Amino acid sequence: SLLGAAARLPKTGASASSLFSALTAARREGLGQASIRAQGVEHQATVAALGERRYLVRLAGPPADQLALSRAAAEVLTAFTSAKPPPPKVLDAFAAASPFGAALLDGEDPFEAVVIEANPTLAATPGYGGLGSAFGGLIEPASRADAAARLKDEAFAGQALEVRLAYDPTKIAHLYLSRGEGRWVAYLVDVSEQKQIELQLAQSQKMQAIGQLAGGVAHDFNNLLTAIFMQLDVLAQRHPVGDPSYEGLNEIRQTSTRAADLVRKLLAFSRKQTVQREILDLGELISEFEVLLRRVLHEDVSLDTEYGRNLPHVRADRGQLETAVMNLAVNARDAARSFGGSRVTIRTARLTEAEAHALGYPSARGEQALIEVSDDGPGIAPEVMDKIFDPFFTTKPVGEGTGLGLATVYGIVKQSDGWISVSSKPGEGAAFRIFLPVHVPVAQADVAPAPAKPARPQARDLSGAGRILFVEDEDAVRGVAAKLLRARGYEVIEAASGEEALELAEEHAGSIDLMISDVVMPGMQGPDLLKAARIYLGEAPVMFISGYAEAEFSNLLEGETNISFLPKPIDIKTLAERVKQELQKAA
């Protein structure tokens, strides 16, 4: 009927060519496809081989505009095409064997729905009520209400809902929900450890950023303090004891000294403080320091010390470590007294790697030395726990704290290659734990004995002679320091930059007795200046002055000799003493 009354299939034209190809394919492979045009319409033909020289040709016409169906058949077809998939009857094999919780729920609201099947992981979750219990009982109420609100928001469709678990609100899980007809499949994945790592990373990045800011501020402030101290030295010569201005100048010096102490704390927090590491016996350190600590604590607060067995040695700056323990002890004292407590405990121990992990040092490697300072005070509120090491953050009343105590401890511990953690529950006190790597001495046979350093002579007469190249980009510091050194008999050549200093070193090649240089300057830095100017300086000693820690640039001075370091802020007496010592050594 489609091809008309013709007795044969088309023998010419595009239809014949397509049919010939389809017949050939059917003879070789059993089936072929052809396109036949009849009465102005393209038809698809399927050619199948039935036997020797016998073929079956099926011809499909164009799609009908509308399928004529009875009303009942149309309703059946509509219901079939619009039907939703049947509700799940059981958990699939993947969910049943998964290492995270999975449950099949019956009900319209997933949080009110009852559990009709749970995999072993979910069944082992604390607080699980068994089959027939409401799934929402596993989730902390406030978190459950928040998750229910987000579930109704189309923007959260298909996304994980972050919830807190009822048995321990500090545990965080991601909830994934898949809906069927009247049933839900729920997946509960515990992400507490991942969240903890994310928080630690965020805290570390925040502290690093704050530390860089604090270090930069402290460096600039040290330059200002150095200029203040030196100008005070000039004024002190004009207004000695008995002068009406002497008391006022003394007050300025005391206030400046307090400012310098704040700067040292900022540098400690930013890990840019100058350190002098030595091998310390942990037990002896705390035992000797205990006498001073007992004087710091009030009579109504007792100090208990617990010394572990086989206490190790650590390599750290004694003064810094004592400062850290002092700050923790003072904080513990204040916390205990505010809550009616009366006890501060300092515990020392040698820890294995596993013990360090259990006490709050997740990335510990090898044995660790522990210094723990605890109290029986009110504990630390959870909402401020992530802020306690921030500089200038304090819970004390206005005027009773700078907020730099714990920030200083944090910086000291980090600069000592250690770790600090805090454990606290409201009403049960707090325990701060300092972890330091155990120092393992190198076998004496493996190292050559270090040459004995000559003792520096004590400079009494601060006057002297010699040509000094003084390099400092801060005009206020350079000008007054050069003036005071000239007053003591030295010839001082001033340079405001590394580039200018290099030209002056070349101009006075062989005649410079000492170079004093700042470390961080615009353009050429101090270490770069030394390397470039060494051919003109010969064996002359070089003294670096800086507000940054010596460790910040010591690796840039490898192979250099006759190098010394003087941290800012400095006064003229200290500078004159060191200048004379360096020149006497070089003589």
Side-chain angles (χ1 to χ4, degrees):
S1 62
L2 290 174
L3 294 178
R8 345 171 144 247
L9 291 170
K11 297 173 62 177
T12 60
S15 296
S17 175
S18 179
L19 267 174
F20 178 80
S21 299
L23 289 168
T24 303
R27 185 170 63 252
R28 293 177 179 175
E29 303 171 7
L31 193 66
Q33 298 288 335
S35 179
I36 301 175
R37 185 175 183 83
Q39 299 180 9
V41 180
E42 288 285 342
H43 303 273
Q44 296 300 315
T46 302
V47 181
L50 296 181
E52 184 69 24
R53 300 175 65 88
R54 291 174 63 81
Y55 301 94
L56 175 63
V57 180
R58 297 184 180 88
L59 198 63
D65 293 336
Q66 186 174 1
L67 181 64
L69 294 174
S70 65
R71 181 176 179 181
E75 289 178 356
V76 171
L77 181 61
T78 301
F80 177 79
T81 56
S82 62
K84 295 180 179 178
K89 295 182 179 180
V90 294
L91 291 174
D92 59 29
F94 170 76
S98 64
F100 47 81
L104 182 60
L105 314 177
D106 188 24
E108 292 297 328
D109 184 338
F111 301 104
E112 300 295 335
V114 297
V115 179
I116 57 177
E117 185 182 355
N119 71 348
T121 305
L122 187 74
T125 303
Y128 171 64
L131 299 181
S133 63
F135 176 74
L138 288 169
I139 303 171
E140 189 264 334
S143 179
R144 182 170 67 236
D146 183 52
R150 282 181 290 155
L151 185 63
K152 295 177 182 179
D153 189 347
E154 294 183 359
F156 284 93
Q159 297 186 25
L161 300 172
E162 189 170 292
V163 297
R164 294 185 178 275
L165 301 182
Y167 79 95
D168 184 357
T170 63
K171 297 288 186 181
I172 302 174
H174 282 172
L175 174 62
Y176 298 86
L177 293 169
S178 174
R179 185 171 188 176
E181 187 67 27
R183 287 188 176 178
W184 298 80
V185 177
Y187 300 97
L188 198 63
V189 185
D190 190 338
V191 294
S192 303
E193 186 174 347
Q194 174 188 338
K195 283 291 180 182
Q196 185 64 27
I197 293 173
E198 290 175 357
L199 288 173
Q200 289 176 358
L201 177 60
Q203 178 72 0
S204 175
Q205 291 173 336
K206 180 183 74 171
M207 299 298 271
Q208 183 178 3
I210 295 175
Q212 290 176 344
L213 174 63
V217 171
H219 174 262
D220 292 340
F221 201 54
N222 263 332
N223 279 335
L224 301 177
L225 285 173
T226 297
I228 291 172
F229 280 125
M230 290 189 173
Q231 290 289 1
L232 283 172
D233 289 331
V234 173
L235 293 173
Q237 295 175 3
R238 300 177 186 172
H239 304 279
V241 178
D243 188 282
S245 301
Y246 177 80
E247 289 297 327
L249 292 174
N250 196 41
E251 286 289 334
I252 295 173
R253 181 177 291 278
Q254 291 177 2
T255 304
S256 300
T257 302
R258 289 173 56 196
D261 184 58
L262 284 176
V263 172
R264 276 192 292 272
K265 290 179 179 178
L266 282 175
L267 286 172
F269 167 72
S270 61
R271 291 175 258 172
K272 297 182 183 296
Q273 191 179 33
T274 303
V275 297
Q276 295 178 347
R277 298 195 183 193
E278 55 183 303
I279 309 304
L280 303 172
D281 183 291
L282 188 61
E284 290 182 4
L285 174 73
I286 301 300
S287 178
E288 294 172 1
F289 193 51
E290 181 182 348
V291 178
L292 177 60
L293 286 175
R294 291 189 184 279
R295 295 177 183 173
V296 172
L297 302 183
H298 292 272
E299 292 181 358
D300 57 347
V301 177
S302 63
L303 174 65
D304 293 341
T305 51
E306 301 176 7
Y307 296 98
R309 300 177 59 186
N310 191 24
L311 291 179
H313 287 78
V314 296
R315 186 171 181 269
D317 184 293
R318 177 185 291 272
Q320 279 197 340
L321 204 52
E322 289 178 347
T323 298
V325 177
M326 174 71 77
N327 286 350
L328 292 179
V330 169
N331 276 4
R333 176 203 68 189
D334 294 343
R337 298 184 74 219
S338 69
F339 192 64
S342 61
R343 188 178 303 278
V344 172
T345 304
I346 298 179
R347 182 170 73 96
T348 56
R350 178 193 289 264
L351 303 177
T352 64
E353 184 176 310
E355 290 171 336
H357 289 171
L359 288 176
Y361 187 2
S363 58
R365 294 291 180 270
E367 288 190 322
Q368 299 292 319
L370 170 71
I371 304 174
E372 180 185 270
V373 180
S374 59
D375 62 73
D376 58 352
I380 301 172
E383 59 269 19
V384 302
M385 184 69 80
D386 61 342
K387 302 184 182 73
I388 58 175
F389 293 114
D390 291 0
F392 305 113
F393 174 80
T394 180
T395 57
K396 295 179 180 179
V398 176
E400 293 189 17
T402 62
L404 283 173
L406 289 178
T408 302
V409 174
Y410 176 87
I412 289 172
V413 173
K414 289 295 184 180
Q415 198 169 16
S416 302
D417 302 323
W419 179 271
I420 184 168
S421 70
V422 57
S423 173
S424 176
K425 291 184 178 179
E428 298 182 13
F432 286 83
R433 301 185 180 105
I434 294 175
F435 302 87
L436 296 173
V438 171
H439 174 70
V440 180
V442 180
Q444 294 298 319
D446 297 337
V447 292
K453 292 185 178 180
R456 283 185 173 175
Q458 293 296 322
R460 296 171 184 254
D461 177 12
L462 300 183
S463 62
R467 177 176 288 173
I468 300 173
L469 175 59
F470 200 104
V471 191
E472 169 64 66
D473 62 295
E474 189 72 35
D475 294 341
V477 175
R478 186 186 68 255
V480 68
K483 178 181 178 181
L484 292 172
L485 287 173
R486 289 189 186 107
R488 282 160 175 77
Y490 298 102
E491 179 187 350
V492 182
I493 305 170
E494 299 181 47
S497 66
E499 291 79 3
E500 182 183 355
L502 184 59
E503 293 179 2
L504 291 171
E506 183 178 4
E507 181 181 340
H508 298 85
S511 64
I512 295 176
D513 301 301
L514 171 68
M515 182 174 81
I516 302 175
S517 174
D518 193 6
V519 175
V520 180
M521 297 180 291
M524 183 178 286
Q525 305 288 302
D528 298 329
L529 167 63
L530 172 60
K531 292 183 181 298
R534 178 53 86 183
I535 58 173
Y536 309 121
L537 298 175
E539 297 299 322
V542 175
M543 182 192 303
F544 283 110
I545 55 174
S546 177
Y548 286 120
E550 185 175 359
E552 288 290 303
F553 63 95
S554 58
N555 60 328
L556 301 175
L557 301 173
E558 290 184 11
E560 295 292 341
T561 57
N562 294 336
I563 305 296
S564 60
F565 177 80
L566 185 61
K568 293 178 181 178
I570 52 179
D571 55 29
I572 189 57
K573 180 180 178 182
T574 304
L575 179 61
E577 284 180 348
R578 290 292 299 273
V579 166
K580 187 152 189 177
Q581 289 170 357
E582 295 301 323
L583 289 174
Q584 286 177 351
K585 281 181 9 180

